[in-house]
Amino acid sequence: MTTESNLRMLVTGAGGFIGHHLVTSLKQRGYWVRGVDTHPPQYTAGNADEFELRDLRRFDECLLATRGIDHVYALAADMGGMGFISANHATILRNNALINIHTLEAARMNGASRYLFSSSACVYPEHLQSDADVRPLREQDAYPANPQDAYGWEKLITERLCLEYTGEYGLETRIVRFHNIYGPYGTYDGGREKAPAALCRKVAEAETGGEVEIWGDGQQTRSFCYVDDCVEGIYRLMQSNYREPLNLGSEDMVTVNELARMIIGLSGKGGVTLRHVDGPQGVRGRNSDNHQLRKVLGWEPSVTLSQGLEPTYRWIEKQVASRPPRAAARPGRDDQPASRTQSGSASRNDSAAGKAVAVNAATDLHR
């Protein structure tokens, strides 16, 4: 008989940002955890009981990933910042649809009892986010549907699929809509990073009296949720009886300019200014309405933006200072907020297909 203490957990996207934080949280709660991704965690040692390299676009790989699992936390996705999302619509829609359709069906076939799908604030209609002083988005605002991009459309389709799997097959599904998750130990360069990490990197690279480049006028608005609050909310939702989509984010909205100036303040560097350039900006404004979150979970995120930016900036500052001398990073083409900081891709690396590697939790996976 399976009890709460010996449930076996699967985290897909466990090599990515939210995923490896969630693995750590589940292990601290005493669960057995299998992590799956195309790559191990990049910045920390992994602590999953098993870590397998798999390409979850392939159904056979999903069947292997979900074998012997009770609860699935489906965080794997091909995604990145606004520059990446706006230039790769077909790739994102194809890869993420394959990952999510195959993982959900494999979980059902292998007898998983619960399945949490990581959706996104990108599901909300573009016309509700055209003003920087946006009304906070409620869960019911997703319909009539009109997401801005292919990433949001795929998330909305998979939300619907989860609800139908519950209705037809009895698989208990949970749906969480992330609103811009940030924190340390995540991608901060290379083009897939999100606004807080990109701005932390740019400020860390800037000289006193230098400048930080931002797309647009910097008046576009977002709210940002610290990763510790995110993984706590994920777990609470999985344990709940709530089957409908649920926002998970902060209600404290700031402009991109305000975010950048907060980070400059943390750095202690004097005279650093903002330079605004043309570039994709995403929606004009986005904020989370947490009324339903408080009602369902009796909880909401509590880490303020200033509290969360401190460890995030210090970690990125250390990474920038310790990397070998090289050409300067691409200037400013990744500073716009996408909808969330997802867990990392389980679909980017074709060479990982069919290759499973079990990694002891004590092995150093830093690279």
Side-chain angles (χ1 to χ4, degrees):
M1 178 179 177
T2 301
T3 62
E4 183 68 26
S5 62
N6 62 12
L7 290 173
R8 293 167 64 90
M9 307 295 188
L10 168 65
V11 177
T12 71
F17 171 52
I18 300 175
H20 85 263
H21 280 279
L22 179 58
V23 168
T24 298
S25 176
L26 291 172
K27 286 301 301 174
Q28 289 172 347
R29 295 177 186 271
Y31 293 107
W32 185 96
V33 182
R34 176 184 296 147
V36 171
D37 210 322
T38 57
H39 57 86
Q42 185 173 359
Y43 304 110
T44 63
N47 57 358
D49 295 278
E50 293 178 359
F51 196 100
E52 299 181 354
L53 302 181
R54 298 195 181 279
D55 183 346
L56 297 181
R57 293 172 299 183
R58 293 177 41 166
F59 185 56
D60 59 335
E61 293 281 83
C62 291
L63 284 170
L64 291 170
T66 56
R67 71 194 187 280
I69 291 296
D70 298 297
H71 292 181
V72 176
Y73 292 84
L75 274 65
D78 191 5
M79 58 91 66
M82 195 62 238
F84 176 80
I85 288 177
S86 64
N88 296 275
H89 295 291
T91 298
I92 288 170
L93 181 54
R94 179 194 66 232
N95 286 344
N96 290 341
L98 289 170
I99 290 168
N100 290 317
I101 291 170
H102 287 160
T103 305
L104 183 56
E105 174 64 4
R108 182 193 71 83
M109 291 182 64
N110 276 327
S113 60
R114 292 205 174 200
Y115 187 99
L116 182 140
F117 171 59
S118 55
S119 187
S120 165
C122 269
V123 302
Y124 290 111
E126 186 173 9
H127 70 270
L128 296 181
Q129 304 169 83
S130 59
D131 191 333
D133 189 22
V134 63
R135 174 180 61 78
L137 296 163
R138 303 165 300 176
E139 287 81 0
Q140 60 266 35
D141 290 333
Y143 293 93
N146 186 30
Q148 183 184 46
D149 48 44
Y151 180 77
W153 278 109
E154 188 280 326
K155 291 297 184 186
L156 203 58
I157 291 166
T158 304
E159 284 188 7
R160 190 74 246 166
L161 187 62
C162 286
L163 294 171
E164 299 299 345
Y165 263 64
T166 298
E168 183 172 345
Y169 301 117
L171 174 59
E172 286 290 338
T173 60
R174 305 290 180 262
I175 301 165
V176 58
R177 291 176 180 164
F178 292 142
H179 285 251
N180 295 305
I181 313 305
Y182 74 99
Y185 308 109
T187 300
Y188 64 93
D189 63 1
R192 287 183 183 252
E193 65 274 23
K194 304 300 176 53
L199 288 171
C200 285
R201 186 202 74 237
K202 290 177 182 182
V203 172
E205 291 173 338
E207 301 291 339
T208 297
E211 61 182 20
V212 170
E213 191 172 280
I214 293 177
W215 282 352
D217 62 6
Q219 293 303 314
Q220 56 270 40
T221 54
R222 298 293 187 274
S223 60
F224 299 96
C225 179
Y226 191 60
V227 66
D228 287 358
D229 279 336
C230 176
V231 297
E232 178 68 22
I234 290 170
Y235 181 76
R236 286 172 179 255
L237 177 57
M238 182 66 110
Q239 298 304 305
S240 78
N241 294 320
Y242 193 71
R243 295 171 172 173
E244 298 296 319
L246 193 66
N247 284 336
L248 178 52
S250 168
E251 292 181 318
D252 296 327
M253 189 171 67
V254 296
T255 68
V256 172
N257 286 338
E258 289 170 338
L259 175 65
R261 291 184 181 116
M262 289 177 71
I263 296 169
I264 292 169
L266 282 172
S267 75
K269 297 179 179 180
V272 177
T273 59
L274 307 181
R275 181 164 66 93
H276 299 95
V277 300
D278 291 336
Q281 302 172 47
V283 296
R284 186 62 172 167
R286 176 176 290 155
N287 195 11
S288 178
D289 185 320
N290 287 348
H291 174 79
Q292 192 67 9
L293 179 72
R294 290 188 288 268
K295 180 180 178 181
V296 170
L297 301 184
W299 170 92
E300 65 180 319
S302 60
V303 178
T304 67
L305 183 57
S306 59
Q307 288 171 335
L309 282 175
E310 173 72 30
T312 304
Y313 177 75
R314 296 305 169 204
W315 179 78
I316 293 175
E317 180 184 47
K318 183 177 179 181
Q319 303 309 301
V320 169
S322 63
R323 66 190 181 189
R326 60 183 176 86
R330 288 184 305 181
R333 291 306 176 196
D334 43 26
D335 61 351
Q336 292 308 303
S339 61
R340 67 171 175 141
T341 309
Q342 171 76 306
S343 184
S345 171
S347 63
R348 287 182 237 149
N349 187 352
D350 290 334
S351 65
K355 180 180 179 183
V357 179
V359 182
N360 185 282
T363 304
D364 182 2
L365 299 180
H366 180 81
R367 63 175 194 177

